Structure formats: structure tokens, C-alpha cells
Amino acid sequence: MAISIKKKLEAEISEAFIKFQRDLIGRGPQEAKTYIVSDMVIARFKGVLTVEEKHLSSHEKGRRIVKEMREILREMYSEESEQIVEKLTGCKVLSSHSDISTKMGERIEVYVLDKDLEKQLGS
């Protein structure tokens, strides 16, 4: 069975994010999965915490520091991550949102696009 255009694009976006994160902080997530839903690109990254961040996350103050540091990094590089989505989808990113779970060691990124990409891909 042939892989759908949507699934192929989702995989390409995941790969691009892994490469970007490796270049940025020296390591990427253990797993990345991207979903195109209507006018959104949703990326879920598992295994994102460094060894040091895992140690910090065992204390409340440490969790706050890890979340704050990751927020600052995300703000610094949000333009580049939005450009990845724009380049691969051909859509304009209207806004992007991110959150990290220190408990699960996961990060979620949501990109809101200027058009319904899922519909455009015929899914």
C-alpha cells in the first residue's frame, strides 16, 4: 500500500525538527511524531530532557527552571521552527505554541496555518 502524501509530509516535518534540535542543543528527541489536523501542524517529541534536566525535574524548583529555560530557548528559535513548517507545507504559520512536560519528558508544538492543509492534501 502506498504511503499517503499526508503521512509522507508528517514524517518529513518530524525529521526536519529532529535535525534542527540536534543542531541546536546537540541532541534531538528520542521520538518525534507530527500530525496534520485541519489548519494545524502538531508535533509531539518524546525523550527531550537531558540527563541534567531529568535530575533537576525531581525537585519543584528544578522543574520550574527547566520549563523556564526551555521556554526561553523556544522563544529564541521560534522563527526558525516556524520556517521549517512553512518551507515544508507551503503554508504561512499564523502562530505557534509550545509546552514541555518535565514529568513525561515530552514537548508538544502546535503551528496554526493560514489554510486547511489537511483538506488541501485530500485526506
Side-chain angles (χ1 to χ4, degrees), residues 25-117:
I25 54 172
R27 69 181 287 276
Q30 290 171 346
E31 190 184 323
K33 185 89 173 104
T34 300
Y35 306 90
I36 295 168
V37 181
S38 185
D39 64 344
M40 294 179 292
V41 171
I42 302 164
R44 180 180 180 191
F45 305 101
K46 294 181 180 180
V48 298
L49 298 178
T50 64
V51 172
E52 295 84 358
E53 288 171 331
K54 285 178 189 170
H55 287 301
L56 282 169
S57 293
S58 64
H59 295 72
E60 188 178 334
K61 187 176 182 185
R63 283 191 290 277
R64 285 197 310 267
I65 290 168
V66 170
K67 278 179 106 52
E68 191 176 334
M69 180 193 67
R70 288 297 190 120
E71 246 175 63
I72 293 165
L73 270 174
R74 173 62 169 66
E75 283 173 25
M76 288 171 60
Y77 297 102
S78 64
E79 216 172 281
E80 287 92 331
S81 65
E82 288 177 7
Q83 285 170 356
I84 290 169
V85 174
E86 289 183 348
K87 182 179 167 223
L88 291 171
T89 64
C91 298
K92 176 135 183 56
V93 173
L94 301 177
S95 65
S96 65
H97 315 272
S98 177
D99 194 21
I100 189 165
S101 166
T102 53
K103 182 180 172 186
M104 296 295 293
E106 290 187 352
R107 198 173 82 248
I108 298 279
E109 304 258 345
V110 179
Y111 299 85
V112 179
L113 309 174
D114 66 344
K115 54 179 84 105
D116 188 331
L117 181 59

